[in-house]
Amino acid sequence: MGLTNIFNIAGSAMTAETQRLSTTSSNMSNANVVSSSPDQVYRAQYPIFKAMVENAQYQWSGETSKAGVKLDGIYESNAEPLKRHEPNNPLADKDGYVYAPNVNYVEELANMISASRSYQMDLEIMSTAKQLIQRTLQLGE
């Protein structure tokens, strides 16, 4: 595995963290959207990632290996929606209830911070690899 593979690995991780930030922002922005039915309420979404490790046993023999992270799917939460009594809400059902997503702001905020820090770390990895390549090219000068 050469230094150039680091860009592919870090790039796939940055794509994964971007997807995690996207689902987190979607969850937070829809947290207060109510519905008249528990079946129509927004369900929180969470990305599922899978490690890509192909030909890893050959990575030191000079053969190309593919590594990184890929999006394996989106998990939709099956948490019960929150039932609130709001008889004056135009979306209330016949009993005066509306249903809101069961989104935990603290968990979503922690997830957002974690994704942001991971993204920053991946940028730092790419910057370090770039500097190493530049220094290697300067050895002959």
Side-chain angles (χ1 to χ4, degrees):
M1 181 184 302
L3 279 175
T4 55
N5 287 347
I6 293 173
F7 294 109
N8 294 333
I9 295 168
S12 71
M14 289 171 66
T15 301
E17 296 306 335
T18 300
Q19 182 64 43
R20 190 161 66 135
L21 279 169
S22 177
T23 55
T24 298
S25 66
S26 178
N27 292 344
M28 292 182 79
S29 64
N30 286 295
N32 290 320
V33 177
V34 295
S35 177
S36 59
S37 165
D39 297 330
Q40 296 174 346
V41 73
Y42 174 83
R43 302 284 180 172
Q45 298 176 348
Y46 303 99
I48 301 170
F49 301 115
K50 182 177 182 181
M52 293 188 316
V53 183
E54 298 174 14
N55 300 327
Q57 66 271 20
Y58 305 116
Q59 66 184 356
W60 301 112
S61 65
E63 291 191 30
T64 304
S65 67
K66 187 173 185 178
V69 181
K70 77 172 191 172
L71 181 65
D72 200 34
I74 301 287
Y75 166 76
E76 194 170 89
S77 175
N78 57 4
E80 289 295 318
L82 303 172
K83 185 177 180 181
R84 296 191 303 219
H85 189 256
E86 294 181 10
N88 294 331
N89 191 320
L91 294 175
D93 64 7
K94 62 180 173 48
D95 297 324
Y97 288 99
V98 292
Y99 301 89
N102 194 352
V103 174
N104 186 329
Y105 280 110
V106 175
E107 287 178 13
E108 295 298 331
L109 187 59
N111 198 16
M112 183 179 63
I113 292 169
S114 173
S116 175
R117 300 274 189 222
S118 295
Y119 192 92
Q120 289 173 353
M121 178 190 63
D122 295 326
L123 278 174
E124 194 63 36
I125 288 170
M126 291 180 98
S127 176
T128 301
K130 178 183 166 192
Q131 288 174 2
L132 289 173
I133 290 172
Q134 287 174 338
R135 288 182 185 161
T136 301
L137 292 172
Q138 292 172 352
L139 285 176
E141 294 179 357

